[in-house]
Amino acid sequence: MSWDSYIKRVKCPCGKGYILQEEESDDWGRTRRYTPIVDCPDCASKYEVEEVHSFCYKWDGDGISYYLTPKGYPKYSGIAEKERFPTEVSNIFQFNEWFIENYPKEQLQFALNEFCSMRSSSAVASKLARKIVYEHKYVFKTVKVSEIIPRLSEIISAYDTYNGNYDQRKIVRDEEQKQRAIYTEEKRKHQIRLAL
């Protein structure tokens, strides 16, 4: 099995050169696309290629768009969850912290109530309870309800005093999403979308 390669090309903004993108495909219908390059000295001095990923279904493409962005265009500098709540460097999965950061207290309490009414972790039905069982098995090598309940109680007890719990992060996430949308809308006015 071999890969066939071909180059897609469109005229650059000044019209003196091209934007080139190499694409490869094989006998199984798989494709690989490479980041486009600006094959024009004038445009290469003014623009850089930016790759933007967005969700899309497989039948709609790969969800990658390419833009020519003016060189030196300012990066996003607004509120950012990663800066407000930096991740600690750790090689081990932080079980308690992860659930506090990613689920609201009410959902964790609901999952605890579900575990308290079950004798076996295989009987839990909610999505969060199943996630807890899966991660507990991965980290602690057990799915015993008798071990999950105290750990989940610990998580709920620590929730309100934990810096970076889900509720705090949600406020920052929502604000970041708004600020990024405004930034992106303004940035698009200065970019050229590549139709490759």
Side-chain angles (χ1 to χ4, degrees):
M1 175 180 57
S2 63
W3 290 83
D4 295 322
S5 175
Y6 53 96
I7 304 288
K8 289 197 254 180
R9 53 194 282 183
V10 293
K11 278 278 191 191
C12 67
C14 75
K16 298 176 189 170
Y18 291 94
I19 310 295
L20 309 173
Q21 183 182 35
E22 183 181 3
E23 191 169 304
E24 297 177 325
S25 62
D26 69 3
D27 300 335
W28 291 6
R30 296 179 298 179
T31 59
R32 294 189 289 217
R33 290 179 189 87
Y34 298 93
T35 303
I37 57 168
V38 181
D39 191 26
C40 166
D42 290 345
C43 290
S45 67
K46 296 177 190 172
Y47 301 102
E48 57 190 3
V49 177
E50 187 175 334
E51 189 175 290
V52 177
H53 295 260
S54 58
F55 171 80
C56 80
Y57 294 102
K58 280 190 172 184
W59 53 84
D60 285 335
D62 58 10
I64 301 174
S65 302
Y66 298 99
Y67 293 87
L68 289 179
T69 304
K71 283 194 171 177
Y73 191 86
K75 303 290 183 199
Y76 173 78
S77 60
I79 193 169
E81 180 185 0
K82 288 180 180 177
E83 289 176 16
R84 174 69 178 83
F85 304 108
T87 307
E88 291 182 22
V89 178
S90 174
N91 291 329
I92 58 170
F93 184 77
Q94 301 295 317
F95 185 87
N96 291 18
E97 292 82 352
W98 192 86
F99 281 101
I100 291 173
E101 292 173 5
N102 290 284
Y103 290 94
K105 188 176 183 180
E106 299 76 30
Q107 286 185 20
L108 295 166
Q109 185 63 56
F110 182 84
L112 176 61
N113 295 342
E114 188 175 356
F115 280 108
C116 288
S117 67
M118 301 291 170
R119 290 182 179 205
S120 167
S121 61
S122 63
V124 295
S126 72
K127 187 176 179 180
L128 176 54
R130 290 194 311 267
K131 175 78 173 165
I132 291 168
V133 169
Y134 176 82
E135 298 298 346
H136 200 275
K137 182 179 181 183
Y138 176 77
V139 176
F140 302 106
K141 311 300 183 225
T142 179
V143 294
K144 289 181 182 175
V145 171
S146 62
E147 292 192 31
I148 293 174
I149 289 173
R151 188 155 282 112
L152 198 45
S153 297
E154 234 178 70
I155 289 170
I156 293 166
S157 295
Y159 190 90
D160 293 329
T161 57
Y162 184 84
N163 183 33
N165 66 38
Y166 175 85
D167 295 332
Q168 294 166 341
R169 286 173 180 271
K170 184 165 182 0
I171 293 166
V172 174
R173 284 173 188 153
D174 291 348
E175 185 57 31
E176 181 178 356
Q177 187 176 14
K178 285 179 198 171
Q179 288 185 18
R180 282 190 184 276
I182 293 166
Y183 168 81
T184 301
E185 184 180 345
E186 180 59 32
K187 187 177 186 179
R188 292 289 181 260
K189 294 174 186 175
H190 303 276
Q191 293 177 306
I192 300 168
R193 185 167 183 175
L194 297 176
L196 291 164

